[in-house]
Amino acid sequence: MTSETGKNGRPEWDAYWMGVVEAIARRSTCTRHNFGAVIVSDKTIVSTGYNGSPRGLPHCLKIGCLRDQLGIKSGTMLEVCRGVHAEANAIIRGDPIRMDGATLYVNAKPCKYCARMIANSGVKRVVYIDDYPEKEGIVLLKQAGIECTSFSPKRKK
């Protein structure tokens, strides 16, 4: 859990929402990464998502990772994956009206595919943890005028 707190000892909003993201990520069915996302508007959750196989298809936890089987490096050849990314799942499940002007929190940089969906969703701010090798998504988001904030959690010792 992060330790960014205000004067009253309560977590600041970005730290709070990143804590929610961490909880959501634990539902991931990906064998490589556990990613979660939450879309927030006016301090209220609009939608959540985690990465995993599309509805009705077997989870990689059960059948293995195609990318591992093919020896594909993380952050490359994103199209070779059965999974749907956390940000995409949150957007798919969200209310388009409530997403307009919202903030999306995610525990990794959005990829270029998710960045396109984020730009079209009406989300105006993305808060992410800077730990994913793919860089094109952040560039695209900034070009679309979306505020991008790198969140660096401070761990309690």
Side-chain angles (χ1 to χ4, degrees):
M1 187 54 80
T2 58
S3 63
E4 294 82 5
T5 57
K7 294 177 185 177
N8 60 8
R10 296 169 66 204
E12 297 289 350
W13 283 109
D14 284 352
Y16 174 79
W17 294 119
M18 279 300 190
V20 173
V21 166
E22 288 176 12
I24 294 164
R26 290 197 300 270
R27 289 289 305 156
S28 170
T29 62
C30 177
T31 60
R32 282 187 167 200
H33 302 287
N34 297 121
F35 294 136
V38 62
I39 300 174
V40 176
S41 182
D42 198 25
K43 297 180 180 146
T44 302
I45 293 174
V46 172
S47 184
T48 66
Y50 54 85
N51 60 323
S53 297
R55 199 178 279 182
L57 295 181
H59 295 300
C60 297
L61 291 173
K62 291 187 178 186
I63 62 171
C65 174
L66 179 61
R67 294 173 57 80
D68 280 346
Q69 293 162 8
L70 298 174
I72 297 171
K73 185 176 149 188
S74 185
T76 65
M77 297 176 59
L78 302 176
E79 68 279 2
V80 183
C81 180
R82 285 186 279 268
V84 179
H85 290 185
E87 307 95 315
N89 273 323
I91 290 167
I92 290 164
R93 295 181 182 131
D95 176 350
I97 294 169
R98 292 181 62 211
M99 278 191 275
D100 194 37
T103 298
L104 184 145
Y105 292 86
V106 62
N107 59 338
K109 285 181 185 174
C111 73
K112 60 187 170 188
Y113 301 115
C114 288
R116 293 175 198 161
M117 286 184 266
I118 292 166
N120 277 351
S121 73
V123 164
K124 295 300 178 204
R125 180 175 181 244
V126 174
V127 180
Y128 61 93
I129 295 175
D130 190 15
D131 71 345
Y132 194 67
E134 208 269 348
K135 312 272 187 244
E136 294 176 59
I138 295 299
V139 171
L140 193 148
L141 289 170
K142 289 179 179 178
Q143 288 173 342
I146 295 170
E147 178 187 343
C148 298
T149 303
S150 176
F151 180 83
S152 298
K154 296 175 187 147
R155 300 286 175 190
K156 289 183 180 179
K157 295 184 179 175

